[in-house]
Amino acid sequence: MAVDVLRPRLSWINEAGPHEHDQFQSAYQIQVASTREKLLRGKADMWNSGKQESQESVLVTYAGRPLSSDEDCYWRVRVWDQQGRKSKWSDVGQWHMGLLSSSDWRASWITSPSFSAGNSDESPLFRRDIVVSKPVKKAHAYVCGLGYFELYVDGKKVSDDVLVPNQTDYTYRPNLERTRVAIDNEFTGYRCLYLCYDLLPFFSEGNHALGVLLGNGFFHSGNAFAMPYGHPRLIVQLHLTYADGSEETILSDPSWRCKPSAIVMNGVYSGEHYDARLYDKDWCNPKSTTQAGWTPVVPCAPPDGILQAQMSSSDKVAETFRPQSMTCRPDGTLVVDFGEEISGWVHLRNLHGKAGQRLTINYLSESPNGENFYTMSGKDPEEYHPRFTWFVFRKVEISGLSQELSADDITAEAVNTDLRTTGMFACSDTLLSQIYRIWHRTLLDNVHGAIISDCPHRERAAYLGDGQVACDMVMSTFDARTLYAKWFSDMRLSQNPRTGFVPFGAPWQPGCGGGVPWSAAMILMPFEYYRHYGDRKVLADNYSSMLRLMDYFSQWVGEDGTMEQHYEAKNDMSYWCNLGEWCTPTSEIPANALVHTYYYWRCAEAMSAIARALDKEKDAFRYAQLSQNIWKSFHHRFYDDAKKSYGPAGSNLFALHMGVPETREKEVAATVCQELDDHDGHLYTGIFGTSIFFDVLASHSLEREALEAFTKRDFPSFGYWIAQGATTTWEQWDGGNSHCHPMFGGGLTWFYTWLAGIRPVDDRTLDIRPRLPEGITWVESSQENNYGIISVRAERTDRGIRVETNVPVGCQATVSAGRSQQVEHVASGRHVFLFAD
């Protein structure tokens, strides 16, 4: 609902009939109009592209008249196929232009006077009464409430968004450089995201009340890992356009009123206390004119962050879980098991009790989770769920009840940033399918505020090392375009403008430790985004930040061409600024310098490819040379000829992934085989080594060993977690610390690329070669690229391996199976082949 890009880009997916093959788009026509009615009449008063001879259907740049603030845009597209046949018009799409200039904002930032009085944990209510004297044609509210807000009209919440706006570095924080992981308090910039809501359905002629409930969010929450930014504050600008063409703007200003809500304590880390006795059912009722309890708001200083439209998805209640079991202990405590560990909250209904009766909702977790109390009003029946934080749990304990709750009275609501699943994997080995499912659940549990956290309870931080190591798997499984585009902006703004250093988390929290693999996300994640989504603009937008980071890295390279460390903290936390591998199953780890140098090489390799994609040939050549020099330095320093090894705990996997000198390859591969024997075929790597473990083994004819490591059920393995009852992936192989960490998902791309055999060659070309190793009788997978659904099902039959696949319109593929020499070349459509086993 809010786009603040002057030339938005439009995409669509073409679908052919069920029996059509080799189909592609030969031309398109786009129409954009200011109203739906005009568009349906063919009056494209904003842009009519005319028939364009082109196969392009992805990120077509709007080329119509200049767009203005607060403007509605309706669009549709039709295409011509390869025979020149014209399609019907598509359904109508819509976007709304936000406020494109800072001068468009005329509202003032306001806050509650209680914050200056020291009541910093409460959640205040804000209200503005509005009289609408004539019919309304358009109504759009632009709102930013820090840290979180909910918008109401006449007592009704206007959307299903929760925990908005999405998290950013909002403003300057004094003394940040003196806290925990002490980096320089220098950032490229700050920003705050606003949302736009279409309120036309809410405004008829008459009296109305506009209300906001404001929560602390990350803006005013902290613990040992996080530092707050300031007290909550709010800005609102409501644009009304009447049927007669006149306009009115309602602004947040000193005329607004505020009062405490029933949320007497809220914090992202600390939890929520709700006292229903304090709830005012008429707080946003336009018929209620009482002034009791209301006080004038106070103006407050704006945050340093510029206001930008939130173009990434919001958090929502994504899934609801019913109890799998309910047990009442002798003391009356109700224990409820929902079957899966989720991130969200419990929703209670049909509560009965006395005024002042307090319920304690204890979300069972191995990590700190915050408190949750509900004090009853005594007015039956009552209903409750938290609003401004989330909890991580499979089971909850509820004490203080004076009634029996049925399964219909309690549900668990999973909350996460709205991500559409676009990938799927399953196979005949139920353990592999289960590993895939628990990682999928873990990833969603960790997506809040359009970032991916390390864990959703203890730290809730946007660690970049965890982000980059799993991003290939995330992009293979979800449509994460807007999430990553937003996250890349967070990274750019967190970069030190003087040195080029990129901190280990973005938005930055001073509990985030890391090293080169964490900072390298500024380069590797946008590059992975380009590989998956084909968007060169993302590379261009981030290129200058990438260059500055490479310059920063170069300052830490020793005379031998390797990198020992890359940051010196301002306190005694330098160890936490120079981490290498993380969470190996034993005390053995690769040398930090080896991991740092490996990632420096990966960044140079990526920079050369990025520069080529941006037609920067000199830069491409320069970084290709740098990559080669790093490669030579790596192999010169870290190889022990006597041991035929680069070191322990996956060091040889890093070397093989880079490519070792040809004379060493057999020796190093033999060393890896010995390491596997020494570990009884188990994984022996941390998060970065595990991300390449399976691919490196398979590429050196060790497919059987790779699969064996995946199917282990004892320590250390994914199967060991599941044997312990895990429904999510853990932080450490032995179960230490968090039980909800998605970072080990980096290695699971092997399910897609090797077992299902889906490998993109370029934007429109696929190599499809599923494999059915011993013990696996079938595999099924699908992914979505820019042009549609890619699907594969391979099954072993008496006659051979039957492969059924779908190739999207406009794409082509080579299809085979396992080690078969038979290769089929196909274009779009559904195809079925039989290959020798």
Side-chain angles (χ1 to χ4, degrees):
M1 278 305 299
V3 173
D4 56 5
V5 175
L6 293 176
R7 298 180 68 199
R9 297 177 297 165
L10 309 176
S11 302
W12 57 93
I13 287 178
N14 296 312
E15 294 180 348
H19 303 295
E20 289 192 83
H21 295 85
D22 195 19
Q23 190 56 266
F24 61 86
Q25 170 189 300
S26 62
Y28 69 82
Q29 180 181 9
I30 297 171
Q31 291 184 340
V32 185
S34 56
T35 68
R36 181 184 297 270
E37 293 73 25
K38 287 181 179 179
L39 186 65
L40 294 177
R41 294 200 310 268
K43 188 176 180 181
D45 58 337
M46 301 179 76
W47 182 36
N48 188 341
S49 71
K51 183 179 179 181
Q52 299 293 314
E53 305 287 341
S54 171
Q55 294 189 36
E56 193 54 74
S57 59
V58 179
L59 302 174
V60 176
T61 302
Y62 171 84
R65 67 163 174 78
L67 299 172
S68 304
S69 294
D70 193 39
E71 186 169 36
D72 287 318
C73 305
Y74 299 85
W75 76 287
R76 62 181 183 177
V77 61
R78 63 181 175 185
V79 301
W80 286 257
D81 67 8
Q82 68 158 327
Q83 287 88 20
R85 296 175 298 185
K86 182 170 57 180
S87 75
K88 296 179 180 179
W89 285 106
S90 69
D91 291 338
V92 175
Q94 179 189 2
W95 79 89
H96 181 80
M97 299 304 294
L99 303 182
L100 303 180
S101 169
S102 59
S103 62
D104 291 330
W105 283 95
R106 296 186 287 120
S108 302
W109 285 90
I110 57 175
T111 190
S112 167
S114 64
F115 291 131
S116 58
N119 301 323
S120 60
D121 289 335
E122 69 177 32
S123 178
L125 300 165
F126 295 81
R127 172 168 169 157
R128 171 68 149 81
D129 291 305
I130 301 170
V131 177
V132 175
S133 58
K134 47 190 171 182
V136 177
K137 181 180 179 181
K138 293 199 308 180
H140 291 99
Y142 302 90
V143 188
C144 179
L146 303 176
Y148 293 142
F149 74 89
E150 292 182 350
L151 180 66
Y152 293 78
V153 176
D154 300 342
K156 297 178 181 178
K157 190 166 178 275
V158 303
S159 80
D160 60 356
D161 293 344
V162 298
L163 305 172
V164 292
N166 286 339
Q167 183 187 357
T168 57
D169 272 319
Y170 311 100
T171 194
Y172 177 81
R173 288 175 282 182
N175 301 315
L176 187 64
E177 71 280 5
R178 302 178 184 177
T179 306
R180 200 172 166 87
V181 179
I183 67 171
D184 294 319
N185 197 358
E186 300 177 58
F187 296 84
T188 295
Y190 306 94
R191 63 177 179 150
C192 304
L193 301 180
Y194 68 86
L195 287 91
C196 174
Y197 296 102
D198 183 356
L199 301 187
L200 181 61
F202 295 90
F203 283 110
S204 57
E205 293 182 64
N207 295 330
H208 297 278
L210 187 64
V212 176
L213 176 64
L214 193 60
N216 285 320
F218 284 97
F219 195 74
H220 191 63
S221 291
N223 66 0
F225 297 97
M227 183 176 179
Y229 296 80
H231 291 300
R233 59 204 66 189
L234 170 69
I235 189 169
V236 181
Q237 191 157 308
L238 170 63
H239 291 201
L240 297 175
T241 302
Y242 295 105
D244 62 7
S246 62
E247 297 180 353
E248 182 180 6
T249 306
I250 309 296
L251 309 174
S252 52
D253 58 24
S255 68
W256 284 56
R257 296 173 291 158
C258 63
K259 67 182 296 185
S261 73
I263 300 175
V264 296
M265 188 282 284
N266 75 103
V268 167
Y269 298 97
S270 55
E272 183 170 301
H273 297 183
Y274 190 97
D275 189 341
R277 296 170 299 179
L278 304 177
Y279 177 65
D280 178 2
K281 64 180 178 61
D282 291 322
W283 78 273
C284 195
N285 182 351
K287 296 179 181 179
S288 174
T289 58
T290 179
Q291 299 292 318
W294 291 94
T295 59
V297 301
V298 292
C300 65
D304 298 314
I306 61 172
L307 283 164
Q308 292 184 345
Q310 179 177 303
M311 293 176 59
S312 47
S313 296
S314 301
D315 280 29
K316 298 181 185 294
V317 174
E319 193 173 355
T320 299
F321 294 79
R322 289 178 57 84
Q324 299 299 299
S325 69
M326 300 175 68
T327 306
C328 191
R329 293 177 180 158
D331 65 357
T333 299
L334 178 65
V335 182
V336 186
D337 185 348
F338 293 99
E340 264 186 74
E341 183 161 296
I342 68 167
S343 175
W345 49 60
V346 163
H347 194 146
L348 302 174
R349 299 174 178 84
N350 297 316
L351 295 173
H352 302 273
K354 298 178 181 179
Q357 181 178 334
R358 179 158 147 166
L359 307 184
T360 300
I361 307 166
N362 183 22
Y363 296 86
L364 300 182
S365 173
E366 82 295 332
S367 297
N369 220 0
E371 302 174 331
N372 195 196
F373 300 112
Y374 177 76
T375 302
M376 302 186 74
S377 68
K379 300 173 183 177
D380 296 339
E382 301 185 42
E383 182 176 347
Y384 170 71
H385 66 78
R387 281 177 171 78
F388 293 134
T389 187
W390 65 87
F391 304 89
V392 180
F393 63 99
R394 169 179 171 170
K395 298 179 180 180
V396 295
E397 298 172 336
I398 305 175
S399 59
L401 290 165
S402 57
Q403 67 179 106
E404 279 192 27
L405 290 181
S406 73
D408 293 329
D409 298 328
I410 177 169
T411 56
E413 295 177 340
V415 175
N416 54 259
T417 300
D418 191 20
L419 283 184
R420 182 171 60 90
T421 297
T422 55
M424 183 278 290
F425 172 83
C427 72
S428 59
D429 189 307
T430 57
L431 176 60
L432 298 184
S433 298
Q434 196 170 1
I435 291 169
Y436 178 88
R437 288 197 301 272
I438 69 170
W439 177 82
H440 186 279
R441 175 76 265 159
T442 308
L443 190 282
L444 290 175
D445 286 350
N446 276 274
V447 183
H448 294 284
I451 60 93
I452 302 173
S453 61
D454 63 322
C455 60
H457 32 39
R458 185 181 74 236
E459 297 184 64
R460 309 181 185 221
Y463 277 90
L464 299 186
D466 305 51
Q468 68 87 2
V469 78
C471 71
D472 186 2
M473 185 62 181
V474 176
M475 295 177 197
S476 297
T477 309
F478 299 95
D479 180 357
R481 289 172 173 86
T482 63
L483 182 147
Y484 281 109
K486 179 265 181 188
W487 203 2
F488 299 157
S489 182
D490 295 331
M491 295 180 200
R492 291 196 305 271
L493 292 175
S494 73
Q495 187 173 35
N496 187 313
R498 177 175 54 85
T499 67
F501 168 71
V502 173
F504 314 123
W508 171 245
Q509 292 291 4
C512 294
V516 175
W518 283 256
S519 298
M522 182 74 258
I523 294 168
L524 299 181
M525 287 171 68
F527 182 52
E528 200 64 48
Y529 186 103
Y530 170 70
R531 288 184 59 248
H532 278 269
Y533 301 133
D535 189 354
R536 293 179 63 208
K537 185 176 184 298
V538 163
L539 300 181
D541 288 347
N542 292 284
Y543 193 65
S544 62
S545 296
M546 296 173 180
L547 291 174
R548 293 203 306 275
L549 178 60
M550 288 300 289
D551 289 343
Y552 175 82
F553 281 160
S554 70
Q555 299 171 28
W556 292 88
V557 174
E559 292 183 2
D560 67 351
T562 66
M563 191 189 302
E564 195 75 35
Q565 64 178 49
H566 94 302
Y567 199 84
E568 190 70 42
K570 301 293 184 283
N571 54 9
D572 60 355
M573 300 291 283
S574 285
Y575 166 80
W576 294 101
C577 297
N578 293 284
L579 300 177
E581 181 61 288
W582 188 244
C583 290
T584 54
T586 70
S587 59
E588 284 192 325
I589 61 170
N592 280 358
L594 180 144
V595 178
H596 290 171
T597 305
Y598 164 80
Y599 267 99
Y600 185 38
W601 168 81
R602 277 192 61 183
C603 286
E605 284 274 292
M607 286 298 293
S608 182
I610 291 166
R612 282 196 301 274
L614 296 176
D615 299 322
K616 299 179 182 293
E617 294 303 327
K618 289 184 179 180
D619 283 356
F621 178 75
R622 174 165 62 97
Y623 284 114
Q625 283 191 314
L626 175 62
S627 167
Q628 184 63 20
N629 291 338
I630 299 169
W631 183 88
K632 291 177 181 177
S633 298
F634 178 97
H635 292 296
H636 177 74
R637 173 175 174 180
F638 297 112
Y639 186 64
D640 185 330
D641 189 53
K643 297 180 178 179
K644 310 302 182 189
S645 175
Y646 288 82
S651 300
N652 291 299
L653 300 175
F654 291 119
L656 288 171
H657 190 248
M658 295 174 72
V660 299
E662 189 175 348
T663 55
R664 297 180 189 169
E665 186 166 6
K666 289 184 179 180
E667 297 172 346
V668 177
T671 300
V672 169
C673 288
Q674 184 59 53
E675 290 173 335
L676 287 166
D677 287 343
D678 293 344
H679 293 87
D680 193 27
H682 290 80
L683 286 154
Y684 51 93
T685 46
I687 61 173
F688 303 120
T690 300
S691 72
I692 60 173
F693 181 96
F694 305 101
D695 273 334
V696 169
L697 262 58
S699 64
H700 287 82
S701 301
L702 298 171
E703 302 97 330
R704 180 182 59 81
E705 290 81 356
L707 184 61
E708 181 185 354
F710 249 132
T711 54
K712 292 286 187 182
R713 295 178 182 267
D714 56 342
F715 172 83
S717 67
F718 293 97
Y720 174 73
W721 293 340
I722 292 172
Q724 310 309 304
T727 62
T728 48
T729 54
W730 294 355
E731 180 178 10
Q732 296 185 358
W733 292 118
D734 63 2
N737 293 332
S738 161
H739 285 188
C740 195
H741 253 66
M743 61 191 187
F744 276 109
L748 303 192
T749 53
W750 196 71
F751 290 164
Y752 289 128
T753 60
W754 197 83
L755 284 179
I758 302 173
R759 290 180 181 266
V761 177
D762 57 37
D763 195 34
R764 293 181 182 267
T765 308
L766 304 163
D767 178 27
I768 298 174
R769 184 181 286 266
R771 296 166 176 85
L772 297 179
E774 184 178 352
I776 295 181
T777 58
W778 61 267
V779 62
E780 185 173 2
S781 184
S782 65
Q783 291 181 309
E784 183 179 299
N785 70 3
N786 284 331
Y787 305 98
I789 301 294
I790 309 157
S791 65
V792 177
R793 180 178 172 86
E795 185 173 5
R796 181 172 284 115
T797 70
D798 293 339
R799 299 170 55 210
I801 297 178
R802 181 182 185 274
V803 176
E804 180 178 349
T805 185
N806 183 75
V807 178
V809 169
C811 296
Q812 57 189 357
T814 56
V815 183
S816 189
R819 299 182 184 277
S820 173
Q821 299 299 308
Q822 175 187 348
V823 178
E824 304 291 343
H825 297 268
V826 300
S828 65
R830 178 181 172 272
H831 307 275
V832 180
F833 300 106
L834 192 66
F835 298 95
D837 192 348

